[in-house]
């Protein structure tokens, strides 16, 4: 009798262990599924937030809304003049909006640009800063090459210096349309350059007298 009771007790114990094992497996599966669902939701929410920020940024560019752009662009903007070259370029080349959008869309899945090391930076680099998406414009390094010494250099009619070497750096500029002038006592030369994608370093060549 005792032997039969012991066998029943052992069978119940095995049954309980199987139940506990099944419960453990179920809990593990539930945890994995929940983690995947939450992870997918977080990724979807992030992509939605990124897309919304991109659309708002493009809309602000189209409207030339400085108030909105000052919130989006991750460089100090003193006034509207800071972005006039960009507005001028986009008015002349409206396809530039699509180019910006395509680059930003690619950045959502491919963040391989290393600032300062890549020679062809995106026009705007999207990044998350304190929970807010910011757009950092590329800075193009503009040089003037000429054998003319003491010539005055102007960028969009703003004096930036005089030539003192065959290759002179005149500054760093955000994307946009610019006019570079070299003025001497004898003559004035002007060249337009588009800083909108492509190499970071741009060299403008001027002939000597």
């Amino acid at each position: 009798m005792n032997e039969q009771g012991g066998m029943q007790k052992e069978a119940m114990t095995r049954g309980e262990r199987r139940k506990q094992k099944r419960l453990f497996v179920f809990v593990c599966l539930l945890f994995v599924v929940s983690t995947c669902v939450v992870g997918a939701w977080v990724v979807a929410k992030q992509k939605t937030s990124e897309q919304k920020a991109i659309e708002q940024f493009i809309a602000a560019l189209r409207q030339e809304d400085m108030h909105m752009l000052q919130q989006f662009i991750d460089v100090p903007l003193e006034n509207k003049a800071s972005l006039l070259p960009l507005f001028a370029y986009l008015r002349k080349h409206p396809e530039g909006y699509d180019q910006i959008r395509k680059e930003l869309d690619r950045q959502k899945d491919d963040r391989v640009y290393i600032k300062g090391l890549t020679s062809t930076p995106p026009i705007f680099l999207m990044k998350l800063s304190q929970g807010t998406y910011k757009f950092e414009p590329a800075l193009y390094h503009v040089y003037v090459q000429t054998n003319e010494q003491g010539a005055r250099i102007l960028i969009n009619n703003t004096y930036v210096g005089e030539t003192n070497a065959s290759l002179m750096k005149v500054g760093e500029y955000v994307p946009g349309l610019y006019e570079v002038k070299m003025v001497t006592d004898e003559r004035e030369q002007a060249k337009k350059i588009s800083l909108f994608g492509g190499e970071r370093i741009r060299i403008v060549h001027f002939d000597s007298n």
Side-chain angles (χ1 to χ4, degrees), residues 41-81:
W41 177 80
V42 170
V43 170
K45 184 178 180 182
Q46 180 182 358
K47 287 187 176 294
T48 301
S49 299
E50 288 178 339
Q51 192 60 43
K52 183 178 179 181
I54 290 172
E55 294 303 326
Q56 289 176 337
F57 177 58
I58 297 295
L61 283 175
R62 287 185 182 277
Q63 297 164 12
E64 300 183 8
D65 186 338
M66 278 300 297
H67 177 70
M68 284 292 293
L69 290 172
Q70 284 175 329
Q71 298 177 44
F72 276 123
I73 294 181
D74 195 32
V75 294
L77 298 175
E78 296 178 2
N79 49 52
K80 188 172 182 177

Side-chain angles (χ1 to χ4, degrees), residues 50-186:
E50 288 178 339
Q51 192 60 43
K52 183 178 179 181
I54 290 172
E55 294 303 326
Q56 289 176 337
F57 177 58
I58 297 295
L61 283 175
R62 287 185 182 277
Q63 297 164 12
E64 300 183 8
D65 186 338
M66 278 300 297
H67 177 70
M68 284 292 293
L69 290 172
Q70 284 175 329
Q71 298 177 44
F72 276 123
I73 294 181
D74 195 32
V75 294
L77 298 175
E78 296 178 2
N79 49 52
K80 188 172 182 177
S82 306
L83 291 179
L84 285 180
L86 176 59
F87 296 152
Y89 180 90
L90 291 172
R91 289 190 211 111
K92 188 173 182 179
H93 304 280
E95 67 276 8
Y97 296 110
D98 290 333
Q99 186 176 344
I100 293 172
R101 180 185 284 106
K102 287 177 182 177
E103 284 193 353
L104 293 174
D105 284 339
R106 282 199 299 268
Q107 289 177 44
K108 290 188 297 183
D109 302 314
D110 181 18
R111 303 181 188 277
V112 298
Y113 171 69
I114 302 175
K115 185 178 178 182
L117 297 181
T118 306
S119 61
T120 54
I123 300 165
F124 283 95
L125 178 65
M126 180 171 61
K127 56 186 183 179
L128 189 61
S129 176
Q130 298 180 345
T132 303
Y133 285 101
K134 297 284 188 178
F135 301 88
E136 181 179 339
L139 287 179
Y140 297 94
H141 302 243
V142 178
Y143 291 78
V144 165
Q145 187 172 49
T146 181
N147 291 325
E148 195 74 52
Q149 296 294 305
R152 298 181 297 281
I153 303 298
L154 296 89
I155 304 288
N156 286 357
N157 291 321
T158 298
Y159 173 80
V160 294
E162 294 186 1
T163 56
N164 53 18
S166 60
L167 187 64
M168 169 189 170
K169 183 177 180 179
V170 296
E172 298 178 356
Y173 296 89
V174 299
L177 188 63
Y178 294 85
E179 183 181 62
V180 184
K181 287 183 181 179
M182 186 179 79
V183 181
T184 66
D185 293 337
E186 290 77 23

Side-chain angles (χ1 to χ4, degrees), residues 141-146 166-168 180 191 193 195 199-206:
H141 302 243
V142 178
Y143 291 78
V144 165
Q145 187 172 49
T146 181
S166 60
L167 187 64
M168 169 189 170
V180 184
K191 293 189 177 182
I193 57 171
L195 306 180
E199 299 288 330
R200 280 189 304 118
I201 296 176
R202 303 298 179 87
I203 300 176
V204 183
H205 301 270
F206 284 108

